[in-house]
Structure formats: C-alpha cells, structure tokens
Amino acid sequence: MSVRQSLLAILDQGPCYGYQLRAEFDRRTGSTWPLNVGQIYNTLDRLERDGLVEKGEPDAEGHVYWRITAAGSAEVRTWLASPVERSAGTRDELAIKLAVAATLPGVDVADVIQTQRAASLAALQELHRAKYAGADPDGPEELAWSLVVDSMIFAAEAEVRWLDHTEQRLALHPRHAMALALSDEKPKRGRPAKAAIA
C-alpha cells in the first residue's frame, strides 16, 4: 500500500495539516490501515524533499498546512492511471512457512495447515461480521470502507482455498519422500541465482 501516493492524492483535493491528513486517510480507507502521525510527517518531509509538496506557515492555531505542487499533482495522475504491479517473488510468510515445514523431517504439515486454516476461517468470519460504524450507511465513507473490507474478505477466502490446495498436494506425497536432510555440499559465496517464474 502506498502511503506516499495516498497522501498526495488527498492533498490534491486541497491543503491539509498532519492530523487532518491522518483523519482523511482513515475516512477513505475505513480505518483499516491506521497510520501514526509520525509516519505521516516523515512521508511529508520526503515528499517536500522530492518537490511534490510545500510546507506553509503555521496558522493561528499552530497548524502547518501542506500544499501539493504541480509535480505532485502529476504524480497523483500517474499513480491513478497506472496498474498496481505485483512483484513476482513475494515473501509470503505463510507460503514460506509451509514450504519449509513440508521439507522438515518429523513435522506434521497437516497440523500446521489445520492451525492456519482455523485462524484464517476465524479472521474471515470476523470480516463477514464487521459492520460499518459511521454516520451515513449509504455515503462515500461507507463505500470506501466496504471496498477495503471486501478486498480483505477475498484475500482471506483465497488463503483458505490455497490451504485446501496445499493440503491436497501434500497428501499425494509420502512424508518421508519430502523430507530434506541438510546438504553436505558447501554453498558458493554470493547470492544464489533467482529461479525464473513462468
């Protein structure tokens, strides 16, 4: 998730001060990814360094308003017009955990999967029970909130399907055939060659 571009897009609507940016970000994401104010000010400092925003003078209440520059507005347009690139080699902790567990002697991977499935299903149920707590159940804030929650629901459902798939694949292989002993081969220095994903 790009906090940088999200804050720029909000500033493209008009000048804001730090706490106001946090509140606007929360309104637009349903408070599902809370940001702390320090993160916002660090991001604003970097945006200013890059010439994308300008810091104004403090007002009578001490609020420092940040304004987007023309370059910042151009970056917002580019961000909104561009697809989100998913990296090919993600470091998904669950995938790595199961891949390693499947190759360890004496580990019951089915138990590892069952534990994760129970947690994933509980999270999915919690998401389905989530109710919008805002003032206007048909307003833009509810829509933004529901879009984020829907995304989380679909991701949790996909995780459960992947766990089912993994369990079926592992059932095709006897446990002893998949266990990897430590290799006697001495690794070469440097980074290993990346495997191509087709």
Side-chain angles (χ1 to χ4, degrees):
M1 184 204 55
S2 176
V3 171
R4 174 185 170 101
Q5 276 82 8
S6 297
L7 295 182
L8 269 178
I10 293 167
L11 285 171
D12 206 28
Q13 302 303 301
C16 295
Y17 58 92
Y19 279 94
Q20 183 182 11
L21 271 172
R22 183 175 77 171
E24 290 297 329
F25 181 85
D26 285 349
R27 284 180 59 215
R28 286 163 168 75
T29 61
S31 299
T32 50
W33 286 296
L35 297 177
N36 67 49
V37 174
Q39 183 178 8
I40 289 174
Y41 282 112
N42 285 337
T43 303
L44 286 169
D45 287 340
R46 287 192 301 276
L47 290 169
E48 182 182 36
R49 176 201 66 204
D50 296 341
L52 302 174
V53 300
E54 297 171 340
K55 186 189 314 184
E57 294 298 320
D59 68 6
E61 297 173 8
H63 298 131
V64 175
Y65 282 81
W66 295 79
R67 289 171 179 74
I68 196 164
T69 64
S73 290
E75 184 157 321
V76 170
R77 287 190 301 276
T78 299
W79 177 58
L80 293 174
S82 303
V84 173
E85 298 290 330
R86 306 278 186 197
S87 61
T90 61
R91 291 187 182 203
D92 181 286
E93 183 178 352
L94 178 57
I96 291 170
K97 179 180 182 178
L98 290 180
V100 170
T103 63
L104 295 174
V107 173
D108 188 345
V109 185
D111 283 347
V112 176
I113 291 172
Q114 288 295 30
T115 299
Q116 184 63 46
R117 182 183 288 115
S120 299
L121 287 171
L124 183 58
Q125 289 172 350
E126 196 64 33
L127 286 167
H128 279 295
R129 284 194 295 266
K131 299 285 185 223
Y132 179 67
D136 183 2
D138 295 319
E141 291 174 7
E142 189 282 333
L143 176 61
W145 176 85
S146 66
L147 290 174
V148 173
V149 171
D150 287 348
S151 172
M152 295 166 72
I153 287 171
F154 284 115
E157 289 172 345
E159 181 171 285
V160 171
R161 283 195 317 273
W162 178 76
L163 288 168
D164 293 343
H165 170 78
T166 301
E167 189 172 53
Q168 290 169 2
R169 289 205 57 198
L170 291 172
L172 299 174
H173 301 283
R175 285 190 199 165
H176 68 277
M178 295 307 293
L180 285 175
L182 290 176
S183 174
D184 293 334
E185 188 177 316
K186 297 212 185 290
K188 295 178 183 176
R189 293 182 72 115
R191 292 179 168 243
K194 288 186 179 180
I197 297 178

